[in-house]
Amino acid sequence: MEIDEAREVRTTCPYCGVGCGVLAKVAADGQVSVRGDPDHPANFGRLCSKGSALAETTGLDDRLLHPQIHGFGSSWDEALDLVASTFSQTIAEHGPDAVAFYVSGQLLTEDYYLANKLMKGFVGSANIDTNSRLCMASSVAGHRRAFGSDTVPGTYEDLELSDLIVLVGSNLAWCHPVLYQRIAAAREKRPEMKVVLVDPRRTMTSDIADMHLAIAPDGDVALFTGLLAWLGQHNALDRAYITAHTSGFGQALFAASAFNLAGVAAATGLSEDELGRFYSLFARTEKTVTVYSQGVNQSSQGTDKVNAIINCHLATGRIGKPGAGPFSVTGQPNAMGGREVGGMANMLAAHMEIENPEHRERVQRFWNAPAIAGKPGLKAVDMFKAVADGRIKALWIMATNPVDSMPDAGAVEAAIKACPFVVVSDVLAETDTVRHAHVRLPATAWGEKDGTVTNSERRISRQRAFLPVPGEARPDWWIIAEVARRMGFDGAFAHETPAEIFAEHAALSAFENDGERDFDIGAYAGVDREDYDALAPFQWPAPSPGTPLTPTGHQSTRFFANGNFYTPDRKARFIAVRPTVETRITSDFPLILNTGRIRDHWHTMTRTGKSPRLSQHIAEPFVEIHPVDAQRHGIGDADIARVSTPRGEVLVRALVTTRQRQGSLFAPMHWTDQFAARARLDTLTASLTDPVSGQPALKHVAASIEKFTARTFGFAVTRKRPATMAADYWAVARCRGGWRVELAFANDDVDWTAFAGSLFDTADTEVLAYHDREAGQHRIAAFDGEHLTGALFIAPGPVAVSRGWAAEQLGEVHASQRQRFRIVAGRAGAERPDAGATVCSCFNVGVNQITAAVAAGCATVDAIGATLKAGTNCGSCRSEIRAIIAANRIQAAE
Ligand code: SF4
């Protein structure tokens, strides 16, 4: 592909479900730059820290560029023939359910569509599931129970139009930052707008919250059934709406009334006063949107939580109206696209139902398929259990890393290792999953591929290629179509462009629809390549002109405006849910571990881990613990902590903070064996799932914590990534000019000079060293002429060297001996104060600089921005800056 240097290409961010528009450009020297697309309706030009750093993730290092069989290079023909013949043979010998695809919300809709078509219509099994099962399956199940369809009723605009936003289990500030910024901006314009945060942790999202309800883990069903009962008791129901448009209200209210306020308080850990204030605010605010994400979905009661929330909106008639409704926001860039094509084991394409024989017959006829899956396939957790016990004998994993992200990840890894035939399509040559593949298929990455994605508000946007395809990488849809053809399904997989696939997907959505199904993009069934290239973001439904107005009135952008739903009687269903109080903790595992995400990393860091900028905000795996628990378990701040569950243990840095709820721990799920010694968090989580949705309960795991007694700590910077790190604890992160490494050792009996040589080049370099064996202090630096190849700092306690300063030295010239000795001293000169831990990734501004600016009189985030530029680009750090200002004010007042 030729690059037009002057041209900015309009594409979409590949990270979260906000689905921001991006303008990307490649300069003559190959440098990629990105900025927010001012015309995209999801972000209007904004990008968060991850989106802003996309250009740093497009390099070709670590890429898988050629097909491989058993680790050796092969031609595409050899690899595709082997995949096709092995799948065909396995099906012939053991039946269609002996094979499975495990796919991803990272796939584009066109990739997803073909994978689903191949498995459900041509293999004849529904054994295709997706990592979106881990993200929002409970929302899908809750929608289908209540609405008769997987419909997200509202739009982002509703957030700005509302008078009350209730955020449940959702750290928007870090996980959906541009939505958070839109809410923050709306609040600035309309200060009367209220925000309530329901979250066990005081996350950065609390920055915009008028009320933070620090709820007990899994207390959400109790909170919202309590709200339903309270609405009933306080005459705050919309009785006319309930009668005209819903069914099952009586049973739901009866179930909700089983708990009185004191019972709800006990189940939620909230006071009756807090509950009363929240309930009364909800009751009196007509324009209320309840936003929820993983904190609701990733639970063994996830579907009930979703329906408990929806019940309250139905009871007040607050759905399908501007500024009102329940709103599930999705984690992944194309979780919604996956739902549209039926990329989950229990769904059919185009929002049709696998249990419905008419739907199955219709899809089979449309595809002219030899078969159609007759029953739901195995959901993710069950799929890997079937791999483990040998029922699944051939597995194709596309664009995801289950060895790190599935619950009970150790067992999943063992299952994959034991599987007779594993194919992985990926962009990276080495991930914790790719390493176990018999066949590795190189896929195109963001910036190289064309297709569409759907964001959380049902908006379909194009991802467009702006980079040449490297090596022999190929788009996922092409790989799937090639395998399908080689399995003998030529005609149905003859697509030559993603435009053809999209047109077919659109045609299926409209096929014999007549308004009976919510997902209809029939208006695009006739797109050709040119239309597709020019496709502007649009929201579904988008039926073809002339399609009759549907029973739900769904030709508007907001669903259910006329009170009709997709159930047989057109009424929304209340679901009678009962709070269950679960105690998973035991005397051996007395704490509840909550897993989640951080601001600047994404999933298993396969992309964000490439960015020096994003790797500086938090460069190590960590666990948050409340000070009381820390004291009880003998954990000090910055200690290395061993967190254990019956399934495994990890070693992570302890962060002692009152933001954490007492009795609970929080740890991020991003770190893998590629970035840390022992920090694969999902080796701790259980394969316990929600009984309706099959979504794993990743946020409520009984765990214990103890201090890992390190006798020696270390920190290193190196120009090249170390090949080995023989330490009990290590965590490696990119920095500008190289890598930074945190280390800890159970003993101090180490030859530190030899160890330094294992981290960075010391041969043929000038090595400067300082050793104080008695004090346990060692510093070793190696110079290749005027350039630092690496430096190692060893101490008996956490190393007190400025990380930012040390990392910067990799890119600086050290002409004089004095400059070189300064590195061995581990100190910047007096003219170079330590910036401290990075807060603003865009302008590399640290906490110490912000603290100094506050001391000098900067009292607002804008004043900090004017002085240091921090927070003036993507804005993702503004809540942290505000927290630093507040903390310094409190300190000054004490
Ligand atoms: Fe990408 Fe950030 Fe927008 Fe999400 S909020 S789509 S990560 S730029």
Side-chain angles (χ1 to χ4, degrees), residues 464-503:
R464 292 183 175 88
F466 59 90
L467 288 168
V469 172
E472 292 183 276
R474 294 287 180 272
D476 288 283
W477 66 263
W478 181 91
I479 301 172
I480 297 160
E482 280 293 327
V483 169
R485 285 179 210 150
R486 287 159 205 254
M487 288 174 77
F489 309 128
D490 318 42
F493 293 87
H495 313 84
E496 291 189 346
T497 64
E500 290 172 23
I501 305 170
F502 184 78

Side-chain angles (χ1 to χ4, degrees), residues 13-20 43 46-52 175-179:
C13 175
Y15 293 121
C16 82
V18 179
C20 296
N43 57 319
R46 296 178 178 97
L47 290 179
C48 73
S49 51
K50 291 185 283 290
S52 301
C175 300
H176 297 91
V178 164
L179 277 193

Side-chain angles (χ1 to χ4, degrees), residues 78 144 160 162 486 814:
E78 285 169 320
R144 292 175 78 190
E160 289 152 339
S162 70
R486 287 159 205 254
H814 306 278

Side-chain angles (χ1 to χ4, degrees), residues 425-622:
S425 316
D426 209 301
V427 301
L428 291 188
E430 184 74 18
T431 71
D432 294 347
T433 299
V434 167
R435 61 162 66 143
H436 300 303
H438 300 107
V439 180
R440 302 175 184 186
L441 303 176
T444 44
W446 182 80
E448 299 155 10
K449 59 185 184 179
D450 272 301
T452 54
V453 288
T454 309
N455 73 3
S456 297
E457 63 164 354
R458 294 176 274 107
R459 193 175 298 282
I460 295 176
S461 302
R462 281 291 319 275
Q463 262 195 26
R464 292 183 175 88
F466 59 90
L467 288 168
V469 172
E472 292 183 276
R474 294 287 180 272
D476 288 283
W477 66 263
W478 181 91
I479 301 172
I480 297 160
E482 280 293 327
V483 169
R485 285 179 210 150
R486 287 159 205 254
M487 288 174 77
F489 309 128
D490 318 42
F493 293 87
H495 313 84
E496 291 189 346
T497 64
E500 290 172 23
I501 305 170
F502 184 78
E504 182 179 313
H505 165 56
L508 176 56
S509 76
F511 185 57
E512 298 174 2
N513 188 335
D514 299 324
E516 288 302 310
R517 307 193 302 270
D518 62 343
F519 180 66
D520 185 347
I521 54 168
Y524 296 89
V527 288
D528 59 17
R529 203 167 169 170
E530 217 172 292
D531 301 330
Y532 185 73
D533 283 345
L535 196 71
F538 72 95
Q539 241 173 335
W540 64 261
S544 32
T547 303
L549 194 66
T550 73
T552 61
H554 86 195
Q555 281 180 335
S556 71
T557 52
R558 202 167 278 111
F559 273 91
F560 312 138
N562 67 359
N564 285 350
F565 294 82
Y566 288 98
T567 51
D569 63 0
R570 299 284 171 224
K571 291 187 171 188
R573 292 184 286 240
F574 278 92
I575 305 295
V577 294
R578 284 182 180 78
T580 47
V581 182
E582 287 190 54
T583 310
R584 291 195 194 137
I585 57 171
T586 63
S587 53
D588 287 340
F589 300 101
L591 297 163
I592 293 171
L593 171 67
N594 171 7
T595 70
R597 285 143 188 78
I598 61 171
R599 191 189 80 188
D600 286 358
H601 276 308
W602 174 258
H603 283 194
T604 57
M605 290 164 61
T606 49
R607 193 162 27 219
T608 51
K610 295 173 86 158
S611 160
R613 194 196 314 183
L614 296 177
S615 299
Q616 296 317 297
H617 178 235
I618 296 176
E620 277 183 281
F622 66 91

